[in-house]
Amino acid sequence: MNEILSVDDLVVEYNRDGTKVRAVAGVDLRLEKGEILGLVGESGCGKSTLGKAIVGILGAAEGEVIFDGLPVKKLTRGKRPEHFRNLQMVFQDPYGSLNPRRKIGAQVIDGLVIGGMHRSKALARAQELLATVGLPADALGRFPHQFSGGQRQRIAIARALAASASVLIADEPISALDTSSQAQVSNLLVNLVHELSVGMVFISHDLSIVRRISDRVAVMYLGKIVETGTVEQIWESPAHPYTKALIAAIPHADGRSSMPADLPGDVPNPMSPPSGCRFHPRCPLAMPECAVVEPEFVTLADNRQVACHLQKAGQEPVSLELIPRVPAS
Ligand code: ADP
Ligand code: MG
C-alpha cells in the first residue's frame, strides 16, 4: 500500500466564550501517494479546521494524524520538525505563506536549505522550481507584491515543493484567482501530484473543479465526513442524502450555492449539533432512529464509506432514488 497520510477519529475544538465547539467531530481519512482527495462541504462545515489540524497548525483534542508513519504534533512557534517538512499547506491567500518583505528567490532558497540542500546548489534548484510552476527566471529577484494573484499562488506552490512536499493540503487554492488562472493553477497542481507522486487533499467549495481533478472525494457535514468514494460513485450514485443534495446544489458566481428546495434550513450551529445523525433535521429521507442513533461510518461492498442508517456495512449501496421521501411536515 502507498498510504502516506491517515486521519484517525480526529476531533478539533475551538474555545468560544468559554464553550468548546467541535469544528471537527471525529474524522477518518486516508490518502495515498499520487492521489488527489477532494474535500467538499458547505461553508463552516470544518474543512479548513481539518486541513490545519492535519498539518499541525491546530492541535487535536482527540484522535491523531499519521504522516509517513509518525503522528503529527501541533507546531510550536510555527516550527516544523524535520520529519514533517514534507507535509505542506497551500492557502487560498498565498500571502499567508510568503514573507512580503523578502525576495522570492531568498524565500524559495530558504525552503531548500531548511530541507537539507547545500546553499551552493539551492539557487539552481530554485530556478528549476520556478520553471516547474511556470514562472520566469527573473521572478527570483522580485517581491511578492510584484506578482498577480495567480503568480503568487504559483510561488507558494514552489515554496511548498522546495520543502520537497510529499503531501499538500491545499485549502481553496484557486478560489481567489481569476478564471484563467484557476484553470492554470489547478492543472499545475494536478501535474505535480502525478509527476512527483505527491498526495494532495484539495479543499474546495467548487464542486465542478473537484469533480474534474479528484480521484476520490470526501463529503463533510458539520464536522463529520458523511461519505467518501470515487468521483464516479459520488456523482453517479451518491449513498448519503447529503451528498445527493450537495451535488444537486446550484452554484452562484459569488462562490455561494443554493441547496435544493427539499433541503430546508441552514447548516446547524456546531455549538449545539443535532442528536443522532447530525443531518437528520434537514434530511428528506430521515427515519425515526436517525434522531436518536448516530450512524457509524461503514465501508460498503463497493469500497466507499458512508455514515447513514440507510446503508449497511459490506452491502451494495441502496439507491436513494428508490426510497420514499418523508413528507415535509
Ligand atoms: P470551512 O472551512 O468548511 O468553511 P471552518 O473550518 O473555517 O469551515 O469552520 C468550522 C467551524 O469552526 C465554523 O463554525 C466556524 O465558525 C468555526 N471556527 C473557525 N475558526 C474558528 C476560530 N478561530 N475560533 C472559533 N471558531 C472558529
Ligand atoms: Mg475554509
Side-chain angles (χ1 to χ4, degrees):
M1 255 234 303
N2 257 333
E3 187 172 293
I4 180 75
L5 182 81
S6 76
V7 176
D8 299 304
D9 214 8
L10 189 74
V11 173
V12 187
E13 295 174 333
Y14 291 112
N15 213 320
R16 212 182 276 166
D17 308 325
T19 311
K20 281 185 177 155
V21 182
R22 293 201 150 184
V24 173
V27 159
D28 291 284
L29 282 181
R30 303 271 169 278
L31 183 71
E32 295 193 0
K33 289 181 183 163
E35 180 183 47
I36 301 179
L37 176 70
L39 177 62
V40 298
E42 285 162 284
S43 176
C45 72
K47 305 182 294 297
S48 294
T49 305
L50 175 57
K52 287 180 190 158
I54 290 175
V55 300
I57 295 171
L58 294 171
E62 289 171 29
E64 62 181 0
V65 177
I66 307 284
F67 169 69
D68 202 12
L70 290 177
V72 175
K73 298 267 182 299
K74 185 172 185 295
L75 305 184
T76 41
R77 281 178 280 121
K79 274 224 174 274
R80 199 173 279 282
E82 185 124 24
H83 181 74
F84 300 107
R85 295 249 159 82
N86 21 23
L87 173 59
Q88 293 281 331
M89 189 147 181
V90 175
F91 297 91
Q92 174 170 347
D93 175 8
Y95 272 125
S97 44
L98 294 175
N99 182 337
R101 289 177 298 275
R102 297 197 71 207
K103 286 180 182 168
I104 300 309
Q107 299 196 50
V108 175
I109 288 169
D110 282 354
L112 290 164
V113 170
I114 289 168
M117 185 173 284
H118 198 271
R119 207 163 264 283
S120 62
K121 297 201 172 131
L123 175 62
R125 178 71 185 131
Q127 277 165 338
E128 248 173 55
L129 280 171
L130 287 178
T132 304
V133 299
L135 286 171
D138 68 0
L140 285 173
R142 289 191 261 153
F143 290 94
H145 70 86
Q146 294 174 289
F147 295 89
S148 70
Q151 288 176 320
R152 265 199 300 277
Q153 195 57 291
R154 289 167 191 271
I155 296 163
I157 293 165
R159 240 209 85 111
L161 295 175
S164 59
S166 52
V167 167
L168 280 182
I169 309 296
D171 189 1
E172 307 273 4
I174 61 168
S175 304
L177 308 180
D178 61 74
T179 318
S180 72
S181 304
Q182 283 192 339
Q184 289 166 4
V185 172
S186 61
N187 289 342
L188 169 66
L189 285 168
V190 172
N191 291 341
L192 292 174
V193 165
H194 294 147
E195 281 162 24
L196 306 176
S197 213
V198 169
M200 176 163 74
V201 178
F202 187 90
I203 302 174
S204 180
H205 65 268
D206 181 343
L207 291 164
S208 62
I209 176 74
V210 169
R211 184 179 190 177
R212 184 165 72 77
I213 72 168
S214 304
D215 300 299
R216 283 188 309 128
V217 176
V219 180
M220 196 165 183
Y221 184 78
L222 201 59
K224 292 222 166 219
I225 304 293
V226 297
E227 182 166 4
T228 60
T230 62
V231 165
E232 195 185 351
Q233 288 168 339
I234 296 292
W235 266 272
E236 304 303 325
S237 60
H240 195 288
Y242 178 67
T243 307
K244 186 170 177 237
L246 189 69
I247 61 176
I250 301 144
H252 298 294
D254 63 359
R256 290 158 49 83
S257 53
S258 301
M259 296 300 272
D262 64 353
L263 193 71
D266 292 326
V267 180
N269 189 331
M271 284 186 87
S272 48
S275 62
C277 173
R278 294 169 165 237
F279 184 57
H280 88 266
R282 298 172 80 194
C283 183
L285 304 176
M287 306 172 289
E289 68 176 309
C290 301
V292 186
V293 184
E294 182 165 2
E296 275 181 61
F297 194 50
V298 297
T299 305
L300 305 188
D302 65 357
N303 234 353
R304 84 172 85 194
Q305 290 175 295
V306 63
C308 175
H309 288 301
L310 292 166
Q311 310 292 355
K312 304 291 177 217
Q315 300 190 4
E316 290 297 332
V318 171
S319 168
L320 301 180
E321 307 294 339
L322 302 177
I323 302 163
R325 51 186 54 233
V326 182
S329 51

